[in-house]
């Protein structure tokens, strides 16, 4: 039993170390991500499980030899490391990169803004009381193809804030991730959609065709079909057909940016080129924005087996242009809608540098405000779990989108809403 405790201690210590410094080598990438993701975002559960396992091993003779005592020390160090990640998540810090006014800098020289104490209803993955969900509504049907959407909206005349339900409500399109090959509307974006419905929004969790059966740009074409469908059917669900924002994470973050930046591009609207596919705002989480240039990676993202063999299905070396056309950065323009880009500082799958360079290029060209939030200590897909960090980020997103909607109703040009700048700290950023 002492060696069992030693093995547990080694496992706990290595897992905690990985959470703080995830591995990015190709051989360790997947295992490092999943271990770090679960450890960071489920830290309370991990601490309880580790403490119970350590106590059981010690109770059954684990401390009868030097190996057991060494294992106990390692286990305690590992639990301390996880406790540190938990403490960090409870004082979630957003790093905003912007020029202009003097900013409070972190030790790395980056400006920081604490979110502060945000009051939100408890988040959950299942429909909350006060939220009505209509599932599996077909938004595109062609032959054997049937694509569906789940609709989240307030249940009753008043939302959680006590506001009446008179008039049309703002719409929010949620795009799931999964490397363009897996994922489903039942699995992602649920904490955000539940919260937004309670605040008076109508959310649409959208499915689209997946690779390898689908070939790029089939994924984007499907989502464009949804936007066109929304314009025609939004009022049936109490939503405003003239106001739709889009959000999503990972591959969904890439697709969010593509939907927002390629409005009315005929190439991505075959057979419905005249349909209006504009959106009024975009909130991509931890997305990929550039397939054809190196940067965070030693070689471009497009030059990978996943994209070459399963998604785009073209050799990168022979058709670099195809990967440029699949990159949101290619479509940056002056009249782009407002963006709120969110990324985790410890993302081991898509480094935060990918989001930073996209934001920099977007700010250089776009006339609309571009806000960037970098979550200190957060891994990829951190918002999948209804954690404390997720609650604080979702509140910031809701304030941002609600501010955009208020400006839309007042007929003003988009700007960073005051509610967001207060939630992210001072000074005001653009």
């Amino acid at each position: 039993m002492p060696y069992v405790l030693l093995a547990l201690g080694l496992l706990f210590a290595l897992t905690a170390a990985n959470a703080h410094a995830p591995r990015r080598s190709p051989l360790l990438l997947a295992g490092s991500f999943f271990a770090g993701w679960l450890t960071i975002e489920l830290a309370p559960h991990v601490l309880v499980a580790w403490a119970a396992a350590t106590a059981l091993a010690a109770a059954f003779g684990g401390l009868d030899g030097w190996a057991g005592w060494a294992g106990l020390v390692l286990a305690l160090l590992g639990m301390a490391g996880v406790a540190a990640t938990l403490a960090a998540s409870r004082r979630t810090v957003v790093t905003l990169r912007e020029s202009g006014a003097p900013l409070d800098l972190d030790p790395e020289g980056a400006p920081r803004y604490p979110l502060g104490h945000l009051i939100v209803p408890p988040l959950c993955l299942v429909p909350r009381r006060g939220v009505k969900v209509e599932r599996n509504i077909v938004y595109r049907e062609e032959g054997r193809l049937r694509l569906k959407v789940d609709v989240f909206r307030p249940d009753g005349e008043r939302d959680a804030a006590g506001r009446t339900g008179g008039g049309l409500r703002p719409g929010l399109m949620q795009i799931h991730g999964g490397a363009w090959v897996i994922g489903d509307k039942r699995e992602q974006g649920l904490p955000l959609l539940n919260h937004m419905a309670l605040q008076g929004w109508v959310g649409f969790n959208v499915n689209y065709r997946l690779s390898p059966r689908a070939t790029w740009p089939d994924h984007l074409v499907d989502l464009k079909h949804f936007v066109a469908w929304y314009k025609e059917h939004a009022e049936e669900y109490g939503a405003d057909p003239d106001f739709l924002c889009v959000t999503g994470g990972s591959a969904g973050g890439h697709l969010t940016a593509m939907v927002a930046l390629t409005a009315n591009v005929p190439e991505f609207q075959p057979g419905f080129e005249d349909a209006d596919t504009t959106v009024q705002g975009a909130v991509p989480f931890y997305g990929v924005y550039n397939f054809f240039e190196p940067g965070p990676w030693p070689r471009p993202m497009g030059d990978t087996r996943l994209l070459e063999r399963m998604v785009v299905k073209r050799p990168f070396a022979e058709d670099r242009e195809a990967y440029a056309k699949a990159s949101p950065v290619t479509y940056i323009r002056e009249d782009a809608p407002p963006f709120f880009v969110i990324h985790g500082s410890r993302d081991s799958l898509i480094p935060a540098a990918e989001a930073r360079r996209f934001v920099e290029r977007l700010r250089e060209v776009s006339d609309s405000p571009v806000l960037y939030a970098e979550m200190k200590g957060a891994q990829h897909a951190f918002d999948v779990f209804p954690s404390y960090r997720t609650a604080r980020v979702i509140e910031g997103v809701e304030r941002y989108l609600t501010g955009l909607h208020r400006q839309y109703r007042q007929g003003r040009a988009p700007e960073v809403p005051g509610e967001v700048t207060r939630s992210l700290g001072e000074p005001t950023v653009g």
Side-chain angles (χ1 to χ4, degrees), residues 397-427:
V397 171
E398 184 267 319
R399 290 183 176 186
Y400 173 78
L401 292 176
T402 298
L404 290 183
H405 183 242
R406 184 179 297 115
Q407 291 161 17
Y408 155 78
R409 294 183 64 182
Q410 294 172 351
R412 298 185 318 187
E415 59 188 39
V416 176
E419 292 85 347
V420 176
T421 58
R422 284 198 292 274
S423 73
L424 297 177
E426 297 294 342

PDB file of all heavy atoms in Angstrom, residues 397-427:
ATOM      1  N   VAL A 397     -20.388  38.768 -21.180  1.00  0.00           N
ATOM      2  CA  VAL A 397     -20.912  38.635 -22.544  1.00  0.00           C
ATOM      3  C   VAL A 397     -22.323  39.189 -22.624  1.00  0.00           C
ATOM      4  O   VAL A 397     -22.682  39.913 -23.562  1.00  0.00           O
ATOM      5  CB  VAL A 397     -20.870  37.160 -22.992  1.00  0.00           C
ATOM      6  CG1 VAL A 397     -21.621  36.974 -24.310  1.00  0.00           C
ATOM      7  CG2 VAL A 397     -19.430  36.690 -23.135  1.00  0.00           C
ATOM      8  N   GLU A 398     -23.134  38.869 -21.625  1.00  0.00           N
ATOM      9  CA  GLU A 398     -24.525  39.344 -21.630  1.00  0.00           C
ATOM     10  C   GLU A 398     -24.580  40.868 -21.575  1.00  0.00           C
ATOM     11  O   GLU A 398     -25.360  41.500 -22.290  1.00  0.00           O
ATOM     12  CB  GLU A 398     -25.281  38.729 -20.452  1.00  0.00           C
ATOM     13  CG  GLU A 398     -26.763  39.078 -20.424  1.00  0.00           C
ATOM     14  CD  GLU A 398     -27.048  40.312 -19.581  1.00  0.00           C
ATOM     15  OE1 GLU A 398     -26.440  40.442 -18.504  1.00  0.00           O
ATOM     16  OE2 GLU A 398     -27.863  41.145 -20.020  1.00  0.00           O
ATOM     17  N   ARG A 399     -23.739  41.478 -20.749  1.00  0.00           N
ATOM     18  CA  ARG A 399     -23.727  42.939 -20.679  1.00  0.00           C
ATOM     19  C   ARG A 399     -23.284  43.545 -22.003  1.00  0.00           C
ATOM     20  O   ARG A 399     -23.820  44.564 -22.451  1.00  0.00           O
ATOM     21  CB  ARG A 399     -22.798  43.396 -19.549  1.00  0.00           C
ATOM     22  CG  ARG A 399     -23.353  43.093 -18.166  1.00  0.00           C
ATOM     23  CD  ARG A 399     -22.439  43.637 -17.092  1.00  0.00           C
ATOM     24  NE  ARG A 399     -23.002  43.427 -15.774  1.00  0.00           N
ATOM     25  CZ  ARG A 399     -22.473  43.913 -14.657  1.00  0.00           C
ATOM     26  NH1 ARG A 399     -21.362  44.632 -14.716  1.00  0.00           N
ATOM     27  NH2 ARG A 399     -23.035  43.683 -13.488  1.00  0.00           N
ATOM     28  N   TYR A 400     -22.294  42.922 -22.611  1.00  0.00           N
ATOM     29  CA  TYR A 400     -21.801  43.414 -23.902  1.00  0.00           C
ATOM     30  C   TYR A 400     -22.892  43.352 -24.960  1.00  0.00           C
ATOM     31  O   TYR A 400     -23.174  44.343 -25.651  1.00  0.00           O
ATOM     32  CB  TYR A 400     -20.594  42.584 -24.330  1.00  0.00           C
ATOM     33  CG  TYR A 400     -20.101  42.884 -25.722  1.00  0.00           C
ATOM     34  CD1 TYR A 400     -19.330  44.020 -25.972  1.00  0.00           C
ATOM     35  CD2 TYR A 400     -20.393  42.040 -26.789  1.00  0.00           C
ATOM     36  CE1 TYR A 400     -18.864  44.300 -27.245  1.00  0.00           C
ATOM     37  CE2 TYR A 400     -19.934  42.317 -28.066  1.00  0.00           C
ATOM     38  CZ  TYR A 400     -19.175  43.442 -28.289  1.00  0.00           C
ATOM     39  OH  TYR A 400     -18.730  43.716 -29.555  1.00  0.00           O
ATOM     40  N   LEU A 401     -23.532  42.188 -25.102  1.00  0.00           N
ATOM     41  CA  LEU A 401     -24.549  42.020 -26.131  1.00  0.00           C
ATOM     42  C   LEU A 401     -25.782  42.869 -25.849  1.00  0.00           C
ATOM     43  O   LEU A 401     -26.381  43.440 -26.772  1.00  0.00           O
ATOM     44  CB  LEU A 401     -24.932  40.547 -26.245  1.00  0.00           C
ATOM     45  CG  LEU A 401     -23.845  39.618 -26.795  1.00  0.00           C
ATOM     46  CD1 LEU A 401     -24.313  38.167 -26.773  1.00  0.00           C
ATOM     47  CD2 LEU A 401     -23.430  40.018 -28.201  1.00  0.00           C
ATOM     48  N   THR A 402     -26.159  42.964 -24.591  1.00  0.00           N
ATOM     49  CA  THR A 402     -27.304  43.803 -24.246  1.00  0.00           C
ATOM     50  C   THR A 402     -27.024  45.262 -24.560  1.00  0.00           C
ATOM     51  O   THR A 402     -27.908  46.001 -25.022  1.00  0.00           O
ATOM     52  CB  THR A 402     -27.672  43.620 -22.768  1.00  0.00           C
ATOM     53  OG1 THR A 402     -28.054  42.259 -22.539  1.00  0.00           O
ATOM     54  CG2 THR A 402     -28.833  44.526 -22.375  1.00  0.00           C
ATOM     55  N   GLY A 403     -25.781  45.688 -24.339  1.00  0.00           N
ATOM     56  CA  GLY A 403     -25.409  47.050 -24.702  1.00  0.00           C
ATOM     57  C   GLY A 403     -25.506  47.286 -26.203  1.00  0.00           C
ATOM     58  O   GLY A 403     -25.985  48.334 -26.648  1.00  0.00           O
ATOM     59  N   LEU A 404     -25.057  46.306 -26.998  1.00  0.00           N
ATOM     60  CA  LEU A 404     -25.185  46.422 -28.451  1.00  0.00           C
ATOM     61  C   LEU A 404     -26.648  46.534 -28.862  1.00  0.00           C
ATOM     62  O   LEU A 404     -27.011  47.336 -29.736  1.00  0.00           O
ATOM     63  CB  LEU A 404     -24.547  45.217 -29.140  1.00  0.00           C
ATOM     64  CG  LEU A 404     -23.026  45.092 -29.110  1.00  0.00           C
ATOM     65  CD1 LEU A 404     -22.598  43.866 -29.910  1.00  0.00           C
ATOM     66  CD2 LEU A 404     -22.353  46.340 -29.660  1.00  0.00           C
ATOM     67  N   HIS A 405     -27.492  45.739 -28.223  1.00  0.00           N
ATOM     68  CA  HIS A 405     -28.914  45.766 -28.581  1.00  0.00           C
ATOM     69  C   HIS A 405     -29.541  47.100 -28.193  1.00  0.00           C
ATOM     70  O   HIS A 405     -30.369  47.646 -28.934  1.00  0.00           O
ATOM     71  CB  HIS A 405     -29.658  44.617 -27.892  1.00  0.00           C
ATOM     72  CG  HIS A 405     -31.098  44.545 -28.275  1.00  0.00           C
ATOM     73  ND1 HIS A 405     -32.123  44.698 -27.372  1.00  0.00           N
ATOM     74  CD2 HIS A 405     -31.697  44.353 -29.491  1.00  0.00           C
ATOM     75  CE1 HIS A 405     -33.283  44.596 -27.991  1.00  0.00           C
ATOM     76  NE2 HIS A 405     -33.054  44.380 -29.274  1.00  0.00           N
ATOM     77  N   ARG A 406     -29.149  47.635 -27.066  1.00  0.00           N
ATOM     78  CA  ARG A 406     -29.686  48.933 -26.647  1.00  0.00           C
ATOM     79  C   ARG A 406     -29.305  50.017 -27.648  1.00  0.00           C
ATOM     80  O   ARG A 406     -30.125  50.863 -28.002  1.00  0.00           O
ATOM     81  CB  ARG A 406     -29.169  49.279 -25.259  1.00  0.00           C
ATOM     82  CG  ARG A 406     -29.755  50.585 -24.699  1.00  0.00           C
ATOM     83  CD  ARG A 406     -29.240  50.882 -23.305  1.00  0.00           C
ATOM     84  NE  ARG A 406     -29.660  49.839 -22.383  1.00  0.00           N
ATOM     85  CZ  ARG A 406     -28.815  49.012 -21.764  1.00  0.00           C
ATOM     86  NH1 ARG A 406     -27.516  49.107 -21.996  1.00  0.00           N
ATOM     87  NH2 ARG A 406     -29.264  48.104 -20.938  1.00  0.00           N
ATOM     88  N   GLN A 407     -28.047  49.980 -28.112  1.00  0.00           N
ATOM     89  CA  GLN A 407     -27.609  50.970 -29.100  1.00  0.00           C
ATOM     90  C   GLN A 407     -28.347  50.787 -30.423  1.00  0.00           C
ATOM     91  O   GLN A 407     -28.683  51.762 -31.101  1.00  0.00           O
ATOM     92  CB  GLN A 407     -26.101  50.853 -29.300  1.00  0.00           C
ATOM     93  CG  GLN A 407     -25.302  51.297 -28.082  1.00  0.00           C
ATOM     94  CD  GLN A 407     -23.887  50.766 -28.077  1.00  0.00           C
ATOM     95  OE1 GLN A 407     -23.375  50.333 -29.101  1.00  0.00           O
ATOM     96  NE2 GLN A 407     -23.253  50.804 -26.918  1.00  0.00           N
ATOM     97  N   TYR A 408     -28.599  49.533 -30.794  1.00  0.00           N
ATOM     98  CA  TYR A 408     -29.359  49.252 -32.015  1.00  0.00           C
ATOM     99  C   TYR A 408     -30.763  49.851 -31.919  1.00  0.00           C
ATOM    100  O   TYR A 408     -31.250  50.486 -32.863  1.00  0.00           O
ATOM    101  CB  TYR A 408     -29.421  47.742 -32.229  1.00  0.00           C
ATOM    102  CG  TYR A 408     -30.583  47.250 -33.041  1.00  0.00           C
ATOM    103  CD1 TYR A 408     -30.601  47.344 -34.428  1.00  0.00           C
ATOM    104  CD2 TYR A 408     -31.685  46.658 -32.409  1.00  0.00           C
ATOM    105  CE1 TYR A 408     -31.678  46.875 -35.169  1.00  0.00           C
ATOM    106  CE2 TYR A 408     -32.756  46.191 -33.136  1.00  0.00           C
ATOM    107  CZ  TYR A 408     -32.757  46.308 -34.513  1.00  0.00           C
ATOM    108  OH  TYR A 408     -33.819  45.833 -35.240  1.00  0.00           O
ATOM    109  N   ARG A 409     -31.404  49.693 -30.768  1.00  0.00           N
ATOM    110  CA  ARG A 409     -32.768  50.215 -30.605  1.00  0.00           C
ATOM    111  C   ARG A 409     -32.774  51.737 -30.595  1.00  0.00           C
ATOM    112  O   ARG A 409     -33.755  52.363 -31.009  1.00  0.00           O
ATOM    113  CB  ARG A 409     -33.378  49.678 -29.314  1.00  0.00           C
ATOM    114  CG  ARG A 409     -33.611  48.165 -29.347  1.00  0.00           C
ATOM    115  CD  ARG A 409     -34.285  47.681 -28.083  1.00  0.00           C
ATOM    116  NE  ARG A 409     -35.618  48.248 -27.939  1.00  0.00           N
ATOM    117  CZ  ARG A 409     -36.419  48.018 -26.889  1.00  0.00           C
ATOM    118  NH1 ARG A 409     -35.992  47.245 -25.898  1.00  0.00           N
ATOM    119  NH2 ARG A 409     -37.608  48.561 -26.827  1.00  0.00           N
ATOM    120  N   GLN A 410     -31.679  52.331 -30.144  1.00  0.00           N
ATOM    121  CA  GLN A 410     -31.598  53.790 -30.111  1.00  0.00           C
ATOM    122  C   GLN A 410     -31.097  54.370 -31.425  1.00  0.00           C
ATOM    123  O   GLN A 410     -31.005  55.593 -31.573  1.00  0.00           O
ATOM    124  CB  GLN A 410     -30.682  54.223 -28.959  1.00  0.00           C
ATOM    125  CG  GLN A 410     -31.249  53.879 -27.581  1.00  0.00           C
ATOM    126  CD  GLN A 410     -30.256  54.144 -26.465  1.00  0.00           C
ATOM    127  OE1 GLN A 410     -29.079  54.428 -26.711  1.00  0.00           O
ATOM    128  NE2 GLN A 410     -30.719  54.054 -25.221  1.00  0.00           N
ATOM    129  N   GLY A 411     -30.727  53.469 -32.358  1.00  0.00           N
ATOM    130  CA  GLY A 411     -30.280  53.923 -33.661  1.00  0.00           C
ATOM    131  C   GLY A 411     -28.903  54.532 -33.662  1.00  0.00           C
ATOM    132  O   GLY A 411     -28.550  55.304 -34.564  1.00  0.00           O
ATOM    133  N   ARG A 412     -28.057  54.142 -32.670  1.00  0.00           N
ATOM    134  CA  ARG A 412     -26.707  54.688 -32.594  1.00  0.00           C
ATOM    135  C   ARG A 412     -25.701  53.726 -33.185  1.00  0.00           C
ATOM    136  O   ARG A 412     -25.936  52.524 -33.274  1.00  0.00           O
ATOM    137  CB  ARG A 412     -26.317  54.963 -31.132  1.00  0.00           C
ATOM    138  CG  ARG A 412     -27.203  55.979 -30.449  1.00  0.00           C
ATOM    139  CD  ARG A 412     -26.685  56.289 -29.070  1.00  0.00           C
ATOM    140  NE  ARG A 412     -26.249  55.082 -28.377  1.00  0.00           N
ATOM    141  CZ  ARG A 412     -25.871  55.064 -27.105  1.00  0.00           C
ATOM    142  NH1 ARG A 412     -25.854  56.169 -26.417  1.00  0.00           N
ATOM    143  NH2 ARG A 412     -25.493  53.947 -26.533  1.00  0.00           N
ATOM    144  N   ALA A 413     -24.533  54.272 -33.551  1.00  0.00           N
ATOM    145  CA  ALA A 413     -23.445  53.428 -34.027  1.00  0.00           C
ATOM    146  C   ALA A 413     -22.914  52.603 -32.875  1.00  0.00           C
ATOM    147  O   ALA A 413     -22.858  53.078 -31.735  1.00  0.00           O
ATOM    148  CB  ALA A 413     -22.334  54.287 -34.623  1.00  0.00           C
ATOM    149  N   PRO A 414     -22.497  51.340 -33.121  1.00  0.00           N
ATOM    150  CA  PRO A 414     -22.008  50.483 -32.043  1.00  0.00           C
ATOM    151  C   PRO A 414     -20.772  51.064 -31.377  1.00  0.00           C
ATOM    152  O   PRO A 414     -19.913  51.655 -32.003  1.00  0.00           O
ATOM    153  CB  PRO A 414     -21.671  49.168 -32.759  1.00  0.00           C
ATOM    154  CG  PRO A 414     -22.441  49.205 -34.028  1.00  0.00           C
ATOM    155  CD  PRO A 414     -22.500  50.643 -34.416  1.00  0.00           C
ATOM    156  N   GLU A 415     -20.709  50.909 -30.050  1.00  0.00           N
ATOM    157  CA  GLU A 415     -19.540  51.261 -29.267  1.00  0.00           C
ATOM    158  C   GLU A 415     -19.445  50.290 -28.112  1.00  0.00           C
ATOM    159  O   GLU A 415     -20.369  49.512 -27.881  1.00  0.00           O
ATOM    160  CB  GLU A 415     -19.641  52.700 -28.752  1.00  0.00           C
ATOM    161  CG  GLU A 415     -20.877  52.929 -27.893  1.00  0.00           C
ATOM    162  CD  GLU A 415     -21.069  54.392 -27.539  1.00  0.00           C
ATOM    163  OE1 GLU A 415     -20.826  55.252 -28.404  1.00  0.00           O
ATOM    164  OE2 GLU A 415     -21.462  54.664 -26.385  1.00  0.00           O
ATOM    165  N   VAL A 416     -18.345  50.282 -27.380  1.00  0.00           N
ATOM    166  CA  VAL A 416     -18.242  49.382 -26.236  1.00  0.00           C
ATOM    167  C   VAL A 416     -19.241  49.823 -25.191  1.00  0.00           C
ATOM    168  O   VAL A 416     -19.165  50.945 -24.696  1.00  0.00           O
ATOM    169  CB  VAL A 416     -16.826  49.391 -25.645  1.00  0.00           C
ATOM    170  CG1 VAL A 416     -16.775  48.531 -24.399  1.00  0.00           C
ATOM    171  CG2 VAL A 416     -15.836  48.867 -26.669  1.00  0.00           C
ATOM    172  N   PRO A 417     -20.228  48.980 -24.824  1.00  0.00           N
ATOM    173  CA  PRO A 417     -21.254  49.389 -23.866  1.00  0.00           C
ATOM    174  C   PRO A 417     -20.654  49.723 -22.515  1.00  0.00           C
ATOM    175  O   PRO A 417     -19.723  49.082 -22.050  1.00  0.00           O
ATOM    176  CB  PRO A 417     -22.178  48.164 -23.786  1.00  0.00           C
ATOM    177  CG  PRO A 417     -21.896  47.392 -25.027  1.00  0.00           C
ATOM    178  CD  PRO A 417     -20.459  47.643 -25.343  1.00  0.00           C
ATOM    179  N   GLY A 418     -21.217  50.734 -21.849  1.00  0.00           N
ATOM    180  CA  GLY A 418     -20.732  51.119 -20.533  1.00  0.00           C
ATOM    181  C   GLY A 418     -20.823  50.006 -19.519  1.00  0.00           C
ATOM    182  O   GLY A 418     -19.968  49.861 -18.651  1.00  0.00           O
ATOM    183  N   GLU A 419     -21.881  49.181 -19.616  1.00  0.00           N
ATOM    184  CA  GLU A 419     -22.036  48.083 -18.672  1.00  0.00           C
ATOM    185  C   GLU A 419     -20.855  47.123 -18.747  1.00  0.00           C
ATOM    186  O   GLU A 419     -20.423  46.563 -17.756  1.00  0.00           O
ATOM    187  CB  GLU A 419     -23.330  47.312 -18.953  1.00  0.00           C
ATOM    188  CG  GLU A 419     -24.604  48.081 -18.656  1.00  0.00           C
ATOM    189  CD  GLU A 419     -25.036  48.952 -19.817  1.00  0.00           C
ATOM    190  OE1 GLU A 419     -24.235  49.145 -20.757  1.00  0.00           O
ATOM    191  OE2 GLU A 419     -26.172  49.451 -19.784  1.00  0.00           O
ATOM    192  N   VAL A 420     -20.327  46.933 -19.964  1.00  0.00           N
ATOM    193  CA  VAL A 420     -19.207  46.012 -20.122  1.00  0.00           C
ATOM    194  C   VAL A 420     -17.944  46.612 -19.528  1.00  0.00           C
ATOM    195  O   VAL A 420     -17.200  45.963 -18.813  1.00  0.00           O
ATOM    196  CB  VAL A 420     -18.975  45.677 -21.611  1.00  0.00           C
ATOM    197  CG1 VAL A 420     -17.755  44.795 -21.762  1.00  0.00           C
ATOM    198  CG2 VAL A 420     -20.196  44.978 -22.169  1.00  0.00           C
ATOM    199  N   THR A 421     -17.687  47.872 -19.822  1.00  0.00           N
ATOM    200  CA  THR A 421     -16.467  48.473 -19.311  1.00  0.00           C
ATOM    201  C   THR A 421     -16.493  48.531 -17.792  1.00  0.00           C
ATOM    202  O   THR A 421     -15.458  48.408 -17.151  1.00  0.00           O
ATOM    203  CB  THR A 421     -16.265  49.891 -19.887  1.00  0.00           C
ATOM    204  OG1 THR A 421     -17.392  50.699 -19.565  1.00  0.00           O
ATOM    205  CG2 THR A 421     -16.106  49.826 -21.395  1.00  0.00           C
ATOM    206  N   ARG A 422     -17.669  48.690 -17.211  1.00  0.00           N
ATOM    207  CA  ARG A 422     -17.722  48.673 -15.749  1.00  0.00           C
ATOM    208  C   ARG A 422     -17.468  47.279 -15.211  1.00  0.00           C
ATOM    209  O   ARG A 422     -16.832  47.092 -14.187  1.00  0.00           O
ATOM    210  CB  ARG A 422     -19.085  49.199 -15.271  1.00  0.00           C
ATOM    211  CG  ARG A 422     -19.211  50.702 -15.378  1.00  0.00           C
ATOM    212  CD  ARG A 422     -20.360  51.191 -14.513  1.00  0.00           C
ATOM    213  NE  ARG A 422     -21.648  50.749 -15.018  1.00  0.00           N
ATOM    214  CZ  ARG A 422     -22.321  51.393 -15.942  1.00  0.00           C
ATOM    215  NH1 ARG A 422     -21.845  52.483 -16.503  1.00  0.00           N
ATOM    216  NH2 ARG A 422     -23.506  50.947 -16.335  1.00  0.00           N
ATOM    217  N   SER A 423     -17.977  46.265 -15.921  1.00  0.00           N
ATOM    218  CA  SER A 423     -17.775  44.893 -15.436  1.00  0.00           C
ATOM    219  C   SER A 423     -16.342  44.446 -15.632  1.00  0.00           C
ATOM    220  O   SER A 423     -15.846  43.600 -14.893  1.00  0.00           O
ATOM    221  CB  SER A 423     -18.723  43.936 -16.168  1.00  0.00           C
ATOM    222  OG  SER A 423     -18.311  43.720 -17.486  1.00  0.00           O
ATOM    223  N   LEU A 424     -15.657  45.010 -16.646  1.00  0.00           N
ATOM    224  CA  LEU A 424     -14.279  44.622 -16.903  1.00  0.00           C
ATOM    225  C   LEU A 424     -13.283  45.510 -16.179  1.00  0.00           C
ATOM    226  O   LEU A 424     -12.115  45.188 -16.088  1.00  0.00           O
ATOM    227  CB  LEU A 424     -13.992  44.671 -18.410  1.00  0.00           C
ATOM    228  CG  LEU A 424     -14.800  43.714 -19.263  1.00  0.00           C
ATOM    229  CD1 LEU A 424     -14.457  43.934 -20.727  1.00  0.00           C
ATOM    230  CD2 LEU A 424     -14.519  42.280 -18.879  1.00  0.00           C
ATOM    231  N   GLY A 425     -13.742  46.615 -15.662  1.00  0.00           N
ATOM    232  CA  GLY A 425     -12.853  47.521 -14.946  1.00  0.00           C
ATOM    233  C   GLY A 425     -12.651  48.800 -15.727  1.00  0.00           C
ATOM    234  O   GLY A 425     -13.114  48.980 -16.827  1.00  0.00           O
ATOM    235  N   GLU A 426     -11.944  49.716 -15.133  1.00  0.00           N
ATOM    236  CA  GLU A 426     -11.655  50.988 -15.774  1.00  0.00           C
ATOM    237  C   GLU A 426     -10.190  51.025 -16.186  1.00  0.00           C
ATOM    238  O   GLU A 426      -9.360  50.346 -15.609  1.00  0.00           O
ATOM    239  CB  GLU A 426     -11.978  52.123 -14.795  1.00  0.00           C
ATOM    240  CG  GLU A 426     -13.451  52.198 -14.415  1.00  0.00           C
ATOM    241  CD  GLU A 426     -14.334  52.568 -15.596  1.00  0.00           C
ATOM    242  OE1 GLU A 426     -13.807  53.096 -16.602  1.00  0.00           O
ATOM    243  OE2 GLU A 426     -15.539  52.314 -15.526  1.00  0.00           O
ATOM    244  N   PRO A 427      -9.779  51.809 -17.158  1.00  0.00           N
ATOM    245  CA  PRO A 427     -10.598  52.771 -17.885  1.00  0.00           C
ATOM    246  C   PRO A 427     -11.401  52.133 -18.999  1.00  0.00           C
ATOM    247  O   PRO A 427     -11.214  50.991 -19.322  1.00  0.00           O
ATOM    248  CB  PRO A 427      -9.537  53.724 -18.471  1.00  0.00           C
ATOM    249  CG  PRO A 427      -8.350  52.832 -18.683  1.00  0.00           C
ATOM    250  CD  PRO A 427      -8.360  51.883 -17.524  1.00  0.00           C
TER     251      PRO A 427
END
